[in-house]
Structure formats: structure tokens, C-alpha cells
């Protein structure tokens, strides 16, 4: 628990508030206020008062007399005001100011229901409400919209309020009010615009005190289906739009809103608890086949007319049954797009879990909850999101009253020792041991669930991530608003207990604001039973909706009767994000003599001295991955700053919204880690920064140049090409607009499909980022002093970077390196021939001319631009290729324009900066796409508009703004000594000036895609040879020492080189020699894609046919069962053999894989060698060689 300091009246010191008060209770305001006191004498968690005794849910007025006594009793302050002593009083006041109408939580002072899953007297939809209550809720909702800047001014708000109240009163009529069971004026409905409704559903989710995923509430999408009034159309439209929200597994959180409930009516309803729900059949012997939670629903749907599949199983999906208001039910089967199930498998217990045959649906789609927004009751508003692993692994599959699979898992995994006398099963174990077995089974099941959903590429959150996100979201909310969000600890406390952060938060303010999500007052099955009594006996009791109906195909897309409202940025006050000069502590509460208010967020770009360069790190993410990368980046930067007198680190990372766009000091460095959400959108904790940048962009022409530097790590997933790093591109564009200059190439596009851990992601970025920061921090000519009297840097002089000078300096260094280190080469062959969407590995033969390479080394290739593309660029710029590019620096080896565009520039990447666009003197080219389009396309587009060619000075500026071309490094996959044919009679050898590399094709790969796809035969490139210290160690392995090799994918390259070298050595000896030192045994384990096996088969077959070379060859193709190549090392027989090779024969191990596989291989060998630190010991002895790509 975090202690909140406040001044002790007598001691004058800081003491912990937890020593005096219980945590997180709340107090009523001294002012009169509307509170829903449905229970007597409200206790701390219900925001009710000590003197109230009513059990009605009618809003009640609370007087100051009642709350004064509470404050005196609890704070016991004689010489100071109570509000000064007790921060929780102020927290209540803040919450009450924002939520004047609070619904019941069901608790009272004398009767607390905190231990119940569902409280009595909780709010419901589906009931008549008094006119005055509906008016107050509508007014409260509109005022909340006004507070969030929804209306342009007070006049617009008042006009909208008058219109709404008039609509409510015109629709009101006499009826029975449920709270009092008496007749009176019942409030009518009012039409909410799509934007108002979208705000309402998002705010309802944020107020959902039982949900831990509320940090995503601003991403919630509205699918407005309020125009649909028949059961059959409701069913078909829901299924069709649900397919779109599922989004092939990349789930888009969406609410499908049907018409609101009219007065004196049940409103539209859905029978199913969830849209995807398993049947539960009551068998003759009293057992349940399927889900026991749905037995009643299953029986009702069968009675309605559904025929279950034959044979029945425990994984049969129920059809969806929907009732429009006043209509009979409609039944629709779940289409194939949604009915596929995720098979639960375990990477370490594959066979065991396959026998268990566990499955679950892909997404949760709650269908019996309604939305109560501004007095309007939406009784049918299905809500789709994604699962948290514990929902399935700890509850749905594991609960004894659900599928109860833990005993089966314990049996399958051998956790119960039935060889002990008297132990036949789980129930025979002592309770302490039974608990241990169940806990282990639950742990493995939960792990299997999350792993299986990852393999199926279906969105899922893990408990630890969800808990961390909620804690951060709630803390941020309190820091901004002065009070916490409502929370029901029964629902938020994770089943894993104290290892999850939210468990330690203790009690939370359990209040219920409106708008809200709640249940219907009626059960839909019972409502139908009552309704069908009044239906004629010969009438049709339900509609069956055919999902294959040709006139309404159920394909993802928009219907004519519905539309989706996409979130739009709101205008927020950004004063909270100002970067002051002093430093504060994140999450503290400032206590003054008069009030308690949230502390302003700490600054990250403060105290910048004239002799140091400040670096600040921000993140933007709907999850936790970006924050993890930011934390690791900060650790490395802090180490870097300790070794530099010219570099200063900001104290902590912060969300992007805390960066004040108008106050970024010139000369500072801003580093950002940005994830995308939804369809490539900026997450909620970065949307305010985008709005700030948009406002600042209009002021830039009249403001001085800021010249701060920035670099972005885009956390994207290339498997979703249409939205890949969409948010990072948006942030990159906005930073350019407000005067930012790129550092280390600006945007680095990470790919979680390749780098799945935060460390992997950071490593790929850090190799470019670190030298760039070190260059800026050094006292080089790249830095100049800024004037001290500019608008941004009052006070000390601050160093800023001249972008042009840096670009020239970079190209000067490139020119020297191209002249001294790089040489000409050509691609001689690509096997297989290049083709689009190829999933395997390419074997590329490179002709390096007269130079010779060394075995087990590397080659660094520069995939230069083709002559055709260079000619296009020269034509667009209007320059001659034979003219020199004048860099105007002493000692510069100035290149020709054609050479510059060929070898220095990446014509396939976006511009490094677009500041020069303003110099073209037109406003018609401010196209956002310029930040993501290849620079060659931008040049040709500007040329077609007549904006190019430009004058010589501007042309040079444009050339220097082009993105630099970076080399790619590959392991050499061939041996100099390997002949073209291995027949002992031939002496013909492959030319020594040709080498082979292996490359994995990537969708946007500069070499593997763009360069290799050229139609030019034998395309040229530049290269230099480099050593590979890890792989070269294999050349020193002692004779006859056995070698274990584990490799995956393109990591086979050094293995192929080594095998060729060994084959050549074997053929060089015509007569077998039993004393030959080359009789080294190799145990080869390969993880390959199926497409790679034909490519590598020739060398593997040749190695297998070579005497005394391969003792064991094991190939694991890519598979859906999760079997990894290193798992084979632990199989019976292989495990003992590997242990003997390493321990007794002192064998070596060579690992050439990606980082995850390398880590997994280490873990397997630690297990195999039965001791922690065994691999480290082999490394110290030089017997463990690792090359990670």
C-alpha cells in the first residue's frame, strides 16, 4: 500500500495515512446532493449516509448535518478543518462533483455484500422510471458531455438540454413506476445522436466496476443498429456485424446497439448469455454433457424447435435466439467465421492435452447486459471484446460447477502418484496435497489457454498484463481527477492472488456512476413464457434465419440499415501536460492548507543545462509491451548517461499524453515507443498529444524553429499489413509538423511477428539509436548554440542540431566507407526463383569478383537502387546524373548525383524529413501520405504537379532529406573448399569468387523483397566482408570432439558452410584412415519451414552419405502442435545420449537461432544437464557457441 503523507497537527511531521484511516472509504459532501440510496445507512463503499434508512432506489437529498458527524468522528480534528486532515473526504467530493447521480451498489452500513458476485438491489434496465428521474439522468449525462468539451459553448449545451427535456416530456405518459409500485408520470425516451451514444457506451464501460479491462474503453466502437425492429433482422445483422468485429482474430471491441426499451415494455432481448455459448445436455443418469451453466437455456432452445447435432458433444454451439420488442423469437445458427473453436494445447505436454480434447470459443460476446445512458435503457446491446486467460483457464474450464477439468489434467500429467497404497485418485489425497495438485493443474491449464490463443492468432490478454494496465489506468485517472474509478474487488481481484498487482490495492471506492452497464430486470426465457401464453395456438412461435440466405449474405461489411461510428479526437485542455522546470514525483498527492488536489505530472525535459543534452522517453500503448520497451530503453540510457558528461536522463518514462507539444525545448531528444490499437489508431494515452500537435501545427509558420530531435520505435505486427505501425506513422508525422528533426532514421518499424519480447525489440532499435545519441552528446561540429532570447529557451543557452549539417556529415562518412571498405558484386543466382508470397528461405549466390572470402564469416550487402529507379528520381528532380552533388565540406569526396541516388539513398523508404515542402510555396501538397509513401513516389508526384524541379539550393536540400540506405548483414552459407560436385574423380570446383547467403523473405524487406524482386538479370550491389566471431569458433573445435547443432530457418547458413567444409575435407582423403582426426560426429537438430526442406535436402543428403559425419539428423517442420526443435532433445533416448555427449565425451554445442529459440534451447540444456548454471559453465569452457539472429 502506498502511504499518502499529510501533516500531523501536533508533531509537524509526515505520517502515513494508513496508520489512522482504513483505505479507500468515502464520505458524502457537505453540500446537498443527489445520491441513489437504495439501501439504509450507506457505508463507505456505497456513498450513502449515516442517517438514511430508505430502501428505495429513488434519488435522495443528503443534508450537511449528517455528513458533518461522519467527518468529525473519522478525522477527529479540533484545530484544523476536517477536509484538510482526511484526503478521502476530498476524493468523495471530487467523485460527487463529476457524478451527481449514483446508482445503488446494494450495500448498507449494517449489511455489506462485498463478498457476493451479484448484489441484491443492483441497478437494472427494463423498468419504468419516474419522469423527474429520467430528466435528471438526461441532464446529468449532457452535463458530463459538456465537461468533456462535446459542446462548443454553454449556449449549445443549453439548447441541446432544452431539446432533450422537451422530447422526454412529450413522450411521457401515465404508468406504474417500479420503485414505488404506484402510478405516476413515467419518463419517455429521447434520441441520442451516434456521437452521444458512442460517448455513452464508452463511459458506461469506464464506469463498469466489475471489469478490469476498462483501460480500453476509449477504443470501444459503436455499431448502431437502432433502426432494426424485427427479430429476424436483428439476428442476421448481429451475426454479420459480429464477423466484422471479430476481424479474423484481431478483435475490435464493439457494442451492437438495438432500439431502446419503450415505456411499459420489456424491450428487445437476447436469450443467450453469450453469443458463442456451448450447449449443456441433461443426460438420463443425471450428468451434464457440455456446459452445466447453460442447461436451462439449452432445454428452452430445444423446446423452441432447435435440433442438436448428432452425435451430441460437450462442444456444441447453441444457436442465437433474439426477440425484438413485441415480436416472436428468431433463431440463427452461428456461421463458420465465428464457430471455429480454439483447441487448447500445451507446448510441453502436447500429447497429454491432445487426449484431453479441450476447446473454447474465440471471443466473449456478452448478450444479456444492457446499457443505461442518460435515462435511456438499451436492453439489447451485445458487447464483444477479448478474453483474459484466467476467464477460461481458471473459471470456465476449471470451476467445479462448470467443466471441472482440473482432476482430468492432474491425471493426464501424472501429478497423482497412484502407486502409493490407498491413493486411487485426486479425492484420496490429503487436503494440503490435493490443493497443491489442483494448483499445479490450474497453472498448466491457464498457460495452455494463453499459448493456444497465441498460436490461433486470436486476441487475448493475460492476467498480469490486465492487472498492471488497470492499476496504471486507475492511478492515472486519480492523478488527473482527484478520485479513483469505481471498483468491485470481488470481481477485480485475480484468482492468482498476491503475485498480481491489483490484489495488493485492497479496498477500492465501490460506487456506481451513470451511464452504466447492467442486467435486465427480466429473464428472457421467463419473459417468453409469459408472452407466448397470449399467442394463438396455430401461430408460428419463432423465425428461423438461414445464415446462407442469398439476398442477405452474411459477410463482413456495413449494411444499409446500420453504420459504425469511429472514435474521433476530442478537444482537451492540455494544460496538465506542461513541462515545468522543477521535478515532481509521479503519483504523489499535494496537500495544502486549503485543499487536496492531484499533483501535476512530472516533467521529463526539465533542468536542461547549457552543457548537457536532455533525453526523455515516452510510450503510447493500449497494452504493456510499449511500456516494457520504454523501461528497458531508459535503463540503457541511464547507463549511457553515467559515462557521458554531456548527457542527462529524465527521471521516469511517461505516457505520450504527458508530453506538452508546445513546450519541447530545442536541442532536447525525445524518444517514443508507440503501439497501434484497433485499425492502426493511436491509443488513448496518446490521442491528446495528437490533438495538441494539430493545434500547434497551425502556429508553426509564426513560431521559431524548435529543432528538437526525436526517434520512434513503432511496435507493429506485419501480419496485419493494412494497419502495420499505423499509430507510429501518425506520431511521426505530427512530430515533423511541429518542428521535430529525426534521429537515427526517425521511425524504426518494429515487428512483433519477428521480435516477440521487449528485449528483442529494443536490441534491434538500440544498435542504431545508441551511436546517434553518442554523436549528439559529443562536442562535434554537428551541434551549435541556440540564441538565449528565443521563445522556447529563456535562460540558459541550449544546444540544437542543424539537420542539414548532420545529413552532410553522415553522407561524408558514407562516401569514405564506400571508397575504402565496399566493393562491387552481383547476384549470380536466386534459388528458388523469386516469387510473391513465398514462405520459405532464398539461397542467394553472390559473385564478389576478385576477392576471396573466409569460411564461417559474414557479408554485409548494400542493396543499391536499380538504374531505372535512379533515372526516375533524376527526372523528377530535374538534375543531371553526371553532375556533382556539392556538399561544401572540406575533405569531402563529393559523389555524382547518380552515384548518390544509387548507393547512398533508399528510394523505397519515406523521406527522413519533409520540412522542405514549405519552401515550394504551395498549400496543396500537405498530404499526410507523404510521411509513409516511398520517397521516389513523392518526388514523382510533386513533379507531376509542377512543383519540381526546384532551384539548385532547394534541390540539394531535398537530396539531403532523402532516407539513407542501410546495409544488411548475412552469415556466409558456403565454403571455399567445397567443390561443385563431390565425386572423388572430379577436381572441378565452384569459383572461389562466389558465395552463398540465406535470407528469409519479409513483406517490406529492402533486400529480400525489393532488391531480389527486380527483373534485372544479375543485379549489382555493394558489399564488404566481416568476421563472425561466434561461428568462427567452430574452426577451433578439437579433433574427434562430438558437436551438437541446433539451428532454425536462415540460421542454417553457418551450419551449411560447416557441413560443406567437412564434406570437402572428407573427400580430400581418398583412403579412409581410422586415425583421421576428421572423424568428428555431428548431431544435427533443425527447425525448418516445409518450404525450406527441399532447399536444404541436397546438402543434408550429401552429409548423411559422408562417412563419419552425421551421427543423427532430426528435422522438425513448422507445426500447429507447438513442437519446437529443442523439445526433441528431451525425448526418451535422445536425452540420455545428449547428456553422455556433453558430460562424458566433453562435446560442444552450437546454437544458431532466433532469440526465443536460443533461450528455449538454453532452458532445455539446463534441464538435460540437471543443474542451473550448466550452460554458463560450458560457455566459460568455450564449449557452448551461440549465434543469435
Amino acid at each position: 500500500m502506498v502511504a499518502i503523507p499529510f501533516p500531523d497537527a501536533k508533531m509537524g511531521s509526515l505520517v502515513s495515512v494508513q496508520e489512522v484511516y482504513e483505505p479507500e472509504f468515502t464520505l458524502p459532501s457537505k453540500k446537498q446532493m443527489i445520491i441513489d440510496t437504495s439501501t439504509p445507512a450507506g457505508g463507505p463503499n456505497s456513498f450513502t449516509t449515516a442517517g438514511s434508512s430508505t430502501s428505495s432506489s429513488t434519488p435522495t437529498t443528503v443534508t450537511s448535518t449528517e455528513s458533518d458527524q461522519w467527518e468529525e468522528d473519522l478525522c477527529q480534528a479540533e484545530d484544523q478543518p476536517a477536509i484538510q486532515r482526511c484526503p478521502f473526504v476530498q476524493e468523495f467530493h471530487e467523485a460527487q462533483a463529476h457524478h451527481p447521480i449514483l446508482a445503488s451498489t446494494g450495500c448498507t452500513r449494517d449489511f455489506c455484500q462485498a463478498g457476493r458476485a451479484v448484489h441484491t438491489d443492483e441497478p437494472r434496465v427494463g423498468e419504468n422510471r419516474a419522469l423527474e428521474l429520467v430528466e435528471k439522468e438526461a441532464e446529468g449525462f449532457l452535463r458530463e458531455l459538456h465537461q468533456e468539451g462535446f459542446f462548443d459553448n454553454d449556449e449549445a449545451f443549453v439548447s441541446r438540454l432544452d431539446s432533450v427535456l422537451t422530447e422526454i416530456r412529450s413522450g411521457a405518459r401515465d404508468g406504474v413506476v417500479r420503485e414505488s409500485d404506484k402510478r405516476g408520470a413515467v419518463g419517455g425516451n429521447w434520441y441520442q445522436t451516434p456521437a452521444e451514444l458512442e460517448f455513452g457506451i464508452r463511459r458506461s464501460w469506464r464506469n463498469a466496476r466489475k471489469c478490469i479491462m476498462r483501460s480500453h474503453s476509449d477504443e470501444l466502437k459503436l455499431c448502431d443498429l437502432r433502426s432494426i425492429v424485427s427479430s429476424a433482422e436483428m439476428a442476421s445483422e448481429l451475426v454479420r456485424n459480429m464477423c466484422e468485429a471479430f476481424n479474423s482474430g484481431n478483435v475490435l471491441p464493439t457494442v451492437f446497439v438495438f432500439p431502446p426499451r419503450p415505456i411499459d415494455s420489456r424491450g428487445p432481448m437476447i436469450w443467450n448469455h453469450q453469443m458463442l455459448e456451448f450447449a449443456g445436455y441433461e443426460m438420463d443418469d443425471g450428468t451434464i454433457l457440455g456446459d452445466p451453466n447453460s442447461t436451462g437455456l439449452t432445454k428452452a432452445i430445444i423446446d423452441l424447435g432447435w435440433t442438436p447435432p448428432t452425435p451430441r458433444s460437450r462442444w456444441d454451439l447453441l444457436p442465437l435466439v433474439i426477440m425484438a420488442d413485441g415480436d416472436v423469437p428468431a433463431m440463427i445458427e452461428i456461421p463458420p467465421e465465428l464457430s471455429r473453436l480454439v483447441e487448447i494445447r500445451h507446448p510441453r505436454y502436447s500429447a497429454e492435452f491432445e487426449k484431453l480434447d479441450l476447446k473454447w470459443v474465440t471471443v466473449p460476446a456478452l448478450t444479456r447486459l444492457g446499457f443505461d445512458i442518460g435515462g435511456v435503457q438499451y436492453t439489447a446491446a451485445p458487447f464483444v471484446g477479448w478474453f483474459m486467460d484466467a476467464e477460461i483457464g481458471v473459471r470456465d474450464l476449471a470451476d467445479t460447477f462448470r467443466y471441472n477439468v482440473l482432476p482430468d489434467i492432474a491425471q493426464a500429467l501424472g501429478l497423482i502418484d497412484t502407486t502409493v497404497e490407498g491413493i486411487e485418485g485426486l479425492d484420496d489425497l490429503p487436503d494440503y496435497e490435493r490443493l497443491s495438485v489442483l494448483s499445479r493443474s490450474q497453472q498448466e491449464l491457464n498457460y495452455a489457454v494463453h499459448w493456444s490463443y497465441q498460436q490461433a492468432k486470436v486476441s487475448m490478454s493475460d492476467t498480469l498484463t490486465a492487472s498492471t494496465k488497470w492499476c496504471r489506468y486507475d492511478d492515472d485517472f486519480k492523478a488527473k481527477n482527484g478520485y479513483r474509478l469505481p471498483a468491485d474487488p470481488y470481481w477485480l481481484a485475480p484468482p492468482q492472488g498476491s503475485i498480481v498487482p491489483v490484489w495488493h490495492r485492497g479496498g477500492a471506492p465501490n460506487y456506481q456512476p451513470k451511464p452504466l452497464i447492467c442486467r435486465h430486470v427480466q429473464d428472457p426465457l421467463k419473459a417468453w413464457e409469459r408472452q407466448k401464453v397470449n399467442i394463438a395456438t396455430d401461430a408460428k412461435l419463432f423465425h428461423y434465419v438461414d445464415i446462407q440466405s442469398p439476398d442477405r449474405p452474411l459477410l463482413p461489411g456495413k449494411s444499409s440499415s446500420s453504420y459504425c461510428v469511429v472514435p474521433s479526437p476530442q478537444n482537451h485542455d492540455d494544460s496538465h501536460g506542461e513541462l515545468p522546470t522543477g521535478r515532481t514525483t509521479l503519483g504523489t498527492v499535494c496537500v495544502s492548507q486549503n485543499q487536496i488536489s492531484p499533483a501535476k505530472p512530472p516533467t521529463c525535459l526539465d533542468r536542461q543545462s547549457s552543457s548537457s543534452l536532455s533525453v526523455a522517453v515516452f510510450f503510447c500503448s493500449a497494452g504493456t509491451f510499449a511500456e516494457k520497451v520504454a523501461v528497458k530503453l531508459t535503463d540503457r540510457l541511464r547507463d549511457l548517461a553515467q559515462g557521458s558528461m554531456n548527457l542527462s536522463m529524465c527521471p521516469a518514462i511517461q505516457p505520450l499524453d504527458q508530453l506538452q507539444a508546445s513546450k519541447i525545448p530545442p536541442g532536447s531528444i525525445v524518444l517514443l515507443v508507440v503501439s497501434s490499437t484497433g485499425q492502426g489508431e493511436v491509443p488513448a494515452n496518446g490521442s491528446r498529444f495528437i490533438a495538441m500537435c494539430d493545434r500547434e501545427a497551425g502556429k508553426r509558420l509564426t513560431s521559431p524553429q524548435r529543432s528538437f530531435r526525436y526517434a520512434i520505435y513503432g511496435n507493429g505486427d506485419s501480419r496485419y499489413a493494412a494497419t502495420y505501425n499505423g499509430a507510429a506513422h501518425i506520431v511521426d508525422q505530427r512530430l515533423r509538423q511541429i518542428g521535430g528533426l529525426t534521429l537515427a532514421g526517425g521511425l524504426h518499424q518494429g515487428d512483433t511477428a519477428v521480435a516477440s519480447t521487449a528485449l528483442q525489440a529494443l536490441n534491434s532499435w538500440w544498435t542504431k539509436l545508441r551511436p546517434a545519441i553518442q554523436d549528439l552528446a559529443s562536442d562535434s561540429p554537428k551541434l551549435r548554440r541556440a540564441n538565449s532570447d528565443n521563445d522556447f529557451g529563456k535562460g540558459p543557452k541550449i544546444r540544437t542540431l542543424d539537420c542539414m549539417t548532420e545529413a552532410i556529415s553522415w553522407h561524408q562518412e558514407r562516401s569514405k566507407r564506400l571508397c575504402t571498405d565496399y566493393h562491387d558484386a552481383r547476384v549470380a543466382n536466386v534459388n528458388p526463383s523469386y516469387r510473391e508470397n513465398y514462405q520459405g528461405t532464398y539461397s542467394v549466390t553472390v559473385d564478389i569478383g576478385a576477392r576471396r572470402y573466409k569460411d564461417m564469416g559474414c557479408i554485409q550487402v548494400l542493396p543499391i537502387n536499380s538504374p531505372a529507379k535512379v533515372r526516375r528520381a533524376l527526372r523528377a528532380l530535374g538534375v543531371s546524373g553526371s553532375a556533382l552533388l556539392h556538399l561544401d565540406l572540406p575533405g569531402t569526396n563529393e559523389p555524382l548525383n547518380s552515384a548518390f541516388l544509387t548507393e547512398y539513398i533508399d528510394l523505397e523508404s519515406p523521406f527522413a524529413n519533409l520540412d522542405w515542402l514549405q519552401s515550394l510555396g504551395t498549400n496543396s501538397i500537405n498530404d499526410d501520405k507523404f510521411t509513409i509513401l516511398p520517397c521516389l513516389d513523392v518526388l514523382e508526384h510533386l513533379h507531376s504537379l509542377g512543383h519540381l524541379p526546384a532551384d539548385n539550393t532547394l534541390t540539394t536540400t531535398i537530396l539531403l532529406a532523402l532516407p539513407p540506405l542501410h546495409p544488411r548483414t548475412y552469415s556466409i552459407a558456403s565454403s571455399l573448399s567445397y567443390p561443385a560436385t563431390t565425386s572423388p574423380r572430379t577436381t572441378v570446383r565452384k569459383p572461389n569468387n562466389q558465395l552463398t547467403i540465406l535470407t528469409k523473405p519479409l513483406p517490406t524487406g529492402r533486400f529480400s523483397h525489393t532488391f531480389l524482386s527486380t527483373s534485372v538479370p544479375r543485379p549489382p550491389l555493394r558489399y564488404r566482408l566481416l568476421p563472425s566471431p561466434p561461428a568462427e569458433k567452430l574452426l577451433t573445435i578439437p579433433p574427434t570432439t562430438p558437436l551438437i547443432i541446433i539451428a532454425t530457418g536462415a540460421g542454417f547458413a553457418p551450419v551449411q558452410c560447416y557441413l560443406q567444409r567437412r564434406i570437402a575435407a572428407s573427400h580430400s582423403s581418398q583412403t579412409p584412415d581410422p586415425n583421421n582426426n576428421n572423424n568428428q560426429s555431428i548431431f544435427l537438430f533443425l527447425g525448418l519451414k516445409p518450404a525450406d526442406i527441399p532447399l536444404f535436402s541436397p546438402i543434408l543428403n550429401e552429409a548423411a552419405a559422408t562417412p563419419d559425419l552425421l551421427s543423427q539428423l532430426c528435422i522438425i517442420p513448422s507445426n500447429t502442435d507447438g513442437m519446437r526443435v529443442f523439445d526433441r532433445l528431451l525425448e526418451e533416448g535422445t536425452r540420455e545420449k545428449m547428456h553422455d555427449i556433453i558430460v562424458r565425451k566433453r562435446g560442444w554445442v552450437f546454437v544458431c537461432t532466433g532469440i526465443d529459440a536460443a533461450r528455449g534451447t538454453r532452458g532445455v540444456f539446463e534441464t538435460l544437464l540437471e543443474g542451473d548454471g550448466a550452460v554458463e559453465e560450458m560457455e566459460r569452457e568455450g564449449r557452448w557457441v551461440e549465434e543469435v539472429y
Side-chain angles (χ1 to χ4, degrees), residues 201 220-223 241 245 251-256 382-385 564:
I201 62 171
L220 186 61
K221 298 184 182 299
L222 166 68
C223 186
N241 285 281
V251 182
L252 306 174
T254 306
V255 177
F256 311 95
F383 184 162
V384 63
C564 291

Side-chain angles (χ1 to χ4, degrees), residues 372-392:
D372 188 349
I373 302 173
V376 180
Q377 303 175 48
Y378 297 98
T379 55
F383 184 162
V384 63
W386 53 79
F387 279 116
M388 186 170 73
D389 51 14
E391 293 181 72
I392 303 170

Side-chain angles (χ1 to χ4, degrees), residues 289-361:
L289 176 65
D291 191 348
N293 195 48
S294 58
T295 53
L297 175 64
T298 303
K299 184 178 184 303
I301 294 180
I302 292 175
D303 291 344
L304 188 64
W306 178 58
T307 302
T310 303
R312 300 180 180 185
S313 78
R314 57 178 178 166
W315 310 117
D316 295 341
L317 282 174
L318 288 168
L320 195 62
V321 181
I322 299 179
M323 297 189 300
D325 188 58
D327 197 0
V328 297
M331 183 189 303
I332 185 169
E333 296 284 355
I334 305 300
E337 298 97 310
L338 301 175
S339 61
R340 77 178 180 97
L341 305 179
V342 176
E343 297 188 354
I344 309 302
R345 298 293 183 262
H346 198 298
R348 294 190 295 273
Y349 303 105
S350 179
E352 292 85 347
F353 269 77
E354 186 173 356
K355 292 178 182 177
L356 289 168
D357 189 34
L358 303 180
K359 305 174 183 179
W360 206 252
V361 298

Side-chain angles (χ1 to χ4, degrees), residues 37 259 482 613 703 729 768 849 943 1101:
T37 54
L613 189 66
S703 300
H729 283 295
K768 296 194 303 182
H943 179 75
N1101 288 331

Side-chain angles (χ1 to χ4, degrees), residues 244-524:
E244 181 178 328
F246 178 61
N247 195 30
S248 302
N250 186 23
V251 182
L252 306 174
T254 306
V255 177
F256 311 95
V257 181
F258 290 104
R261 167 196 174 271
I263 296 174
D264 291 332
S265 175
R266 60 169 167 79
M269 301 180 75
I270 300 176
W271 284 25
N272 308 63
H273 303 93
Q274 297 212 26
M275 189 169 172
L276 305 178
E277 186 169 6
F278 292 119
Y281 307 107
E282 295 183 6
M283 309 302 287
D284 294 338
D285 60 359
T287 60
I288 304 297
L289 176 65
D291 191 348
N293 195 48
S294 58
T295 53
L297 175 64
T298 303
K299 184 178 184 303
I301 294 180
I302 292 175
D303 291 344
L304 188 64
W306 178 58
T307 302
T310 303
R312 300 180 180 185
S313 78
R314 57 178 178 166
W315 310 117
D316 295 341
L317 282 174
L318 288 168
L320 195 62
V321 181
I322 299 179
M323 297 189 300
D325 188 58
D327 197 0
V328 297
M331 183 189 303
I332 185 169
E333 296 284 355
I334 305 300
E337 298 97 310
L338 301 175
S339 61
R340 77 178 180 97
L341 305 179
V342 176
E343 297 188 354
I344 309 302
R345 298 293 183 262
H346 198 298
R348 294 190 295 273
Y349 303 105
S350 179
E352 292 85 347
F353 269 77
E354 186 173 356
K355 292 178 182 177
L356 289 168
D357 189 34
L358 303 180
K359 305 174 183 179
W360 206 252
V361 298
T362 50
V363 292
L366 303 175
T367 48
R368 281 201 185 181
L369 293 178
F371 283 74
D372 188 349
I373 302 173
V376 180
Q377 303 175 48
Y378 297 98
T379 55
F383 184 162
V384 63
W386 53 79
F387 279 116
M388 186 170 73
D389 51 14
E391 293 181 72
I392 303 170
V394 178
R395 300 302 309 276
D396 296 331
L397 289 175
D399 280 343
T400 55
F401 50 86
R402 295 292 298 282
Y403 276 81
N404 192 27
V405 302
L406 294 186
D408 297 334
I409 291 176
Q411 195 73 39
L413 300 187
L415 303 181
I416 306 171
D417 188 0
T418 56
T419 61
V420 178
E421 184 178 357
I423 303 297
E424 296 180 349
L426 183 65
D427 292 338
D428 298 322
L429 295 174
D431 282 349
Y432 76 92
E433 192 169 344
R434 183 168 175 269
L435 176 62
S436 175
V437 170
L438 288 173
S439 299
R440 169 73 186 282
S441 302
Q442 184 188 80
Q443 174 190 353
E444 297 297 348
L445 173 59
N446 202 56
Y447 178 85
V449 165
H450 196 94
W451 185 85
S452 300
Y453 274 72
Q454 281 187 325
Q455 301 306 302
K457 296 183 175 63
V458 176
S459 300
M460 171 172 275
S461 176
D462 65 273
T463 306
L464 189 59
T465 297
S467 175
T468 302
K469 285 162 59 177
W470 161 250
C471 292
R472 185 180 70 214
Y473 182 68
D474 191 33
D475 289 342
D476 290 347
F477 183 88
K478 184 176 182 181
K480 294 176 183 177
N481 299 282
Y483 65 99
R484 291 196 180 279
L485 290 165
D488 188 335
Y490 181 95
W491 289 83
L492 297 188
Q496 289 90 340
S498 60
I499 60 175
V500 181
V502 74
W503 188 88
H504 296 278
R505 297 173 80 84
N510 191 9
Y511 61 101
Q512 183 56 69
K514 288 192 174 185
L516 55 80
I517 304 172
C518 60
R519 300 171 185 269
H520 199 292
V521 73
Q522 299 185 52
D523 181 288

Side-chain angles (χ1 to χ4, degrees), residues 979-993:
T981 173
T982 57
S983 170
R985 297 179 181 179
T986 183
T987 58
V988 178
R989 295 176 176 271
K990 183 184 63 177
N992 288 334
N993 61 341

